[in-house]
Amino acid sequence: MNSLLLPDWPAPATVKACSTLRAGGISLPPYDSLNLGTHVGDDPVSVQENRQRLVKYAHLPQMPHWLEQVHGTDVVRLASGQKTKGHFVADAVYSHQQQQVCAIMTADCLPVLFCSLAGDEVAAAHAGWRGLCAGILESTIQQFSAPPSQIMAWLGPAIGPQKFEVGSEVRDAFMAQEPTTNGAFVAQMNGKYLADIYHLARLHLRSVGVSQIYGGGLCTVSDRSRFFSYRRDEITGRMASLIWLI
């Protein structure tokens, strides 16, 4: 049983990263089975067991620093020797310290992992359309000492471009910032649009100088056996995308 998805990127050897799949835990339907979210109505005991299993599955140096994600642009910087606490209110987390596990949770929103080419800085960002439009990726990149040209990004499992139907207000919000984002939206007969969140993320990353971008070919909605999806199921679990330095 495979519980982890490993990024397909040429990260330095000092960088470790993964995303969880939905299998390998003990949560009961509709959270089956490796639900890592404590905020979705699942049995807290099951979630804690799943989180302990994650530490084992991924060979984590310690429990991740979990975020309370609010679709904003705040980024937490993990300090040297910082112990794991309950949660931080933020949508991204950065570290240049070894063995500090950066983690975000998703179930359709886009997880983005970052590392410096030097292998001494990492970050994880939660990019739903609101956070993406507001600049969460740019805010995360600003935490790095490395220039954007020396940062690589991996786009983890998210809602695919054939399933992400949005209203005109979403397209308008992106278009107001940058007209070239028009290419990420396909008009539908019902007046709505299909949005490509992967394309939008690439545009935002490239606009600030990040050109080494990997991943971005999955769909959480379409692949029920591997991924949780809020858009598909509403009541469901959460996956995690994690990155850390060794």
Side-chain angles (χ1 to χ4, degrees):
M1 178 168 48
N2 190 0
S3 300
L4 298 177
L5 175 70
L6 301 181
D8 52 342
W9 64 345
T14 53
V15 175
K16 299 298 179 184
C18 64
S19 282
T20 63
L21 302 175
R22 68 180 299 170
I26 66 167
S27 290
L28 300 176
Y31 309 105
D32 50 318
S33 66
L34 192 63
N35 167 47
L36 300 168
T38 59
H39 62 293
V40 295
D42 193 7
D43 172 29
V45 175
S46 296
V47 177
Q48 291 306 316
E49 170 62 22
N50 290 341
R51 290 182 172 187
Q52 291 295 335
R53 290 190 178 199
L54 168 61
V55 172
K56 181 179 68 175
Y57 292 155
H59 305 289
L60 301 180
Q62 64 168 320
M63 185 67 70
H65 295 272
W66 301 108
L67 305 181
E68 180 183 338
Q69 299 164 187
V70 293
H71 296 276
T73 59
D74 287 344
V75 184
V76 170
R77 292 178 64 95
L78 298 180
S80 177
Q82 188 162 350
K83 299 298 184 183
T84 303
K85 57 178 286 188
H87 66 266
F88 302 94
V89 179
D91 283 271
V93 54
Y94 161 93
S95 181
H96 59 84
Q97 306 292 335
Q98 293 178 338
Q99 300 186 343
Q100 295 282 11
V101 183
C102 302
I104 54 96
M105 285 187 286
T106 58
D108 286 336
C109 289
L110 174 63
V112 184
L113 301 181
F114 299 88
C115 72
S116 62
L117 301 191
D120 57 0
E121 298 179 272
V122 293
H126 161 247
W129 78 261
R130 291 179 180 84
L132 185 57
C133 189
I136 183 59
L137 300 186
E138 293 87 337
S139 295
T140 306
I141 292 165
Q142 289 171 2
Q143 304 301 315
F144 280 73
S145 296
S149 63
Q150 296 299 304
I151 298 172
M152 70 173 66
W154 179 72
L155 311 181
I159 186 170
Q162 301 304 314
K163 297 294 185 179
F164 192 22
E165 187 177 72
V166 300
S168 59
E169 73 282 359
V170 176
R171 176 179 175 272
D172 292 346
F174 281 98
M175 288 284 289
Q177 293 183 340
E178 177 51 63
T180 60
T181 58
N182 180 57
F185 296 91
V186 178
Q188 302 299 289
M189 295 294 291
N190 61 3
K192 295 189 177 183
Y193 295 85
L194 288 178
D196 187 340
I197 199 167
Y198 290 126
H199 184 40
L200 290 167
R202 291 187 184 100
L203 289 173
H204 276 252
L205 291 169
R206 289 172 181 148
S207 73
V208 294
V210 175
S211 60
Q212 298 195 45
I213 307 168
Y214 302 89
L218 299 170
C219 179
T220 48
V221 179
S222 300
D223 195 342
R224 181 184 297 270
S225 66
R226 291 202 298 168
F227 303 122
F228 294 117
S229 168
Y230 179 81
R231 177 68 67 105
R232 183 187 64 227
D233 300 325
E234 290 195 12
I235 301 175
T236 191
R238 295 295 184 272
M239 303 165 294
S241 294
L242 313 102
I243 190 165
W244 66 99
L245 296 170
I246 61 171

